[in-house]
């Protein structure tokens, strides 16, 4: 029924299967929308946030999706600025994933502010002394860049591309994509960094506070570094999941291996810098405030020293060592393991820098502030996941997201309608007037 919209040379599942899949994700989406409307109409009392937790699950999800969405700006930088043509096989999907992550981040912010109709206050009544103002501006601007990068993919749909205006528009946008890639990398550097800088300047909270380079705390650079390191792993992970679901090879191996190699070295250098930062904080910064390392990892039911070991060793050095070796990158199970660990590591880092910062007591007579999100918070956090699944499904079905899909998955030739050449060649010629015996016939 929709075959005219499907890219040429590829095969898709029957329409009823596609509708069933999208419908299942749509049911989860509606659950999240219902929770979102409850928050908007009834207020933030629908959450379990309190005086201790002004930032909670939503802000962790916001920082996490922005971090893993870093694969878009980093892949675009490598392809369009540094000329790594090998990434052409995966760049469309990286842009799509980035588009989903950044639109999800904006949606989460719209839910978190409680009164989305006043969201324009951020831009019109900007607090120029706040890092979060820079985040809001750069986040919105980079989402606009990702939208511009995603539009040419939409224009390449079979039916849309038939319109001469749209065909030329898409071609011309491709020609100037390097400008948007450079702009996106510039914007991403600042909003990723400022998200980390917010925690680093909280001098009243020793767990998050860091020393500065001029006006920027070390967390400013670590957040940008970690997003550029783990973002490509998330792109690889989602690509692998998509290949599993579609049971097709969608991206060339050399693109995956190159992205994994770059990501591995980025993770290794980041985790070394993170280790040095943690060591200096534990031996210099915290003691200068009259605290020890174990003051931040004891006397509570959740945040033990294990969380630091998991973040740095298991989700840091382990995936880095896997990805920097050719043997590790070429091994499918090892690649899966490294990608999952890297994504989990950056997610755990954002959890620690958002929620553990608020859980640690800052006064001698205070205890740890523990927190568990309400179902409304959980539903609205899952909402972007369902939205992302739906957009990926629609884009994969109707848009040429993977330029080498037809090459990697050649369609089987249809059976010939004419007699087989071999049989026709052995048939003896019939002379005029000659009659065939029943056996010859």
């Amino acid at each position: 029924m929709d075959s005219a919209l499907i890219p040429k040379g590829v095969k898709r599942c029957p329409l009823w299967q596609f509708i069933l899949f999208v419908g299942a994700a749509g049911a989860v989406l509606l659950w999240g929308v219902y929770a979102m409307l409850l928050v908007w109409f009834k207020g933030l009392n629908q959450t379990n946030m309190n005086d201790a937790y002004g930032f909670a699950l939503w802000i962790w999800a916001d920082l996490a999706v922005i971090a893993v969405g870093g694969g878009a700006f980093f892949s675009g930088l490598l392809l369009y600025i540094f000329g790594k043509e090998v990434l052409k096989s995966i760049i469309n999907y990286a842009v799509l994933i980035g588009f989903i992550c950044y639109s999800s981040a904006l949606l989460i912010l719209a839910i978190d502010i409680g009164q989305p109709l006043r969201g324009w206050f951020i831009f019109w009544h900007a607090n120029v002394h706040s890092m979060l103002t820079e985040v809001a501006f750069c986040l919105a601007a980079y989402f606009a860049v990702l939208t511009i990068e995603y539009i040419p993919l939409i224009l390449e749909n079979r039916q849309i591309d038939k319109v001469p205006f749209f065909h030329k528009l898409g071609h011309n946008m491709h020609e100037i994509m390097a400008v948007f890639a450079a702009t996106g990398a510039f914007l991403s550097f600042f909003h990723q960094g400022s998200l980390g800088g917010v925690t680093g300047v909280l001098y009243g909270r020793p767990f998050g506070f860091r020393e500065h380079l001029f006006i920027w705390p070390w967390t400013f650079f670590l957040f940008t570094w970690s997003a550029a390191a783990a973002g490509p792993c998330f792109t690889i992970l989602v690509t692998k999941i998509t290949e599993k679901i579609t049971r097709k090879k969608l991206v060339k191996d050399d693109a995956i291996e190159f992205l994994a190699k770059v990501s591995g070295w980025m993770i290794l250098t980041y985790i070394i810098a993170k280790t040095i930062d943690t060591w200096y904080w534990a031996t210099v910064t915290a003691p200068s405030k009259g605290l020890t390392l174990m003051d931040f990892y004891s006397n509570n039911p959740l945040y033990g020293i294990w969380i630091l070991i998991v973040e740095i060793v298991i989700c840091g050095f382990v995936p880095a060592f896997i990805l920097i070796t050719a043997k590790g990158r070429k091994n499918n199970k090892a690649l899966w393991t490294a990608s999952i660990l890297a994504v989990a590591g950056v997610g755990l880092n954002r959890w620690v820098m958002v929620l553990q910062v608020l859980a640690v007591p800052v006064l001698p007579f205070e205890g740890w502030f523990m927190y568990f999100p309400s179902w409304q918070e959980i539903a609205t956090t899952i909402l972007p996941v369902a939205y992302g699944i739906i957009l990926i499904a629609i884009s994969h079905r109707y848009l040429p997201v993977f330029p080498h899909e037809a090459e990697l998955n050649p369609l089987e030739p249809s059976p010939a309608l004419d007699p087989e050449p071999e049989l026709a060649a052995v048939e003896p010629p019939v002379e005029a007037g000659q009659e065939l015996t029943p056996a010859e016939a």
Side-chain angles (χ1 to χ4, degrees), residues 214-279:
F214 297 112
I215 63 171
W216 299 287
W218 298 124
T219 47
F220 181 98
F221 305 100
L222 290 175
F223 263 53
T224 304
W225 206 335
S226 61
C233 282
F234 184 70
T235 302
I236 294 172
L237 181 61
V238 177
T239 302
K240 289 291 184 181
I241 293 172
T242 308
E243 289 182 337
K244 280 289 184 181
I245 294 174
T246 59
R247 290 176 290 185
K248 293 180 181 179
K249 184 73 175 175
L250 299 174
V251 176
K252 290 185 176 181
D253 289 334
D254 56 355
I256 295 291
E257 289 178 18
F258 176 80
L259 205 57
K261 179 180 179 180
V262 174
S263 182
W265 284 107
M266 289 290 292
I267 293 172
L268 181 61
T269 53
Y270 158 73
I271 209 64
I272 291 173
K274 171 68 177 176
T275 303
I276 295 172
D277 170 76
T278 303
W279 174 83

Side-chain angles (χ1 to χ4, degrees), residues 196 198-202 205-210 217 219 281 296 353 357:
V198 169
T199 305
V201 298
L202 296 178
R205 293 189 177 274
F207 182 80
F209 179 74
R210 291 297 188 273
T219 47
W281 163 76
F296 304 105
M353 300 307 287
V357 166

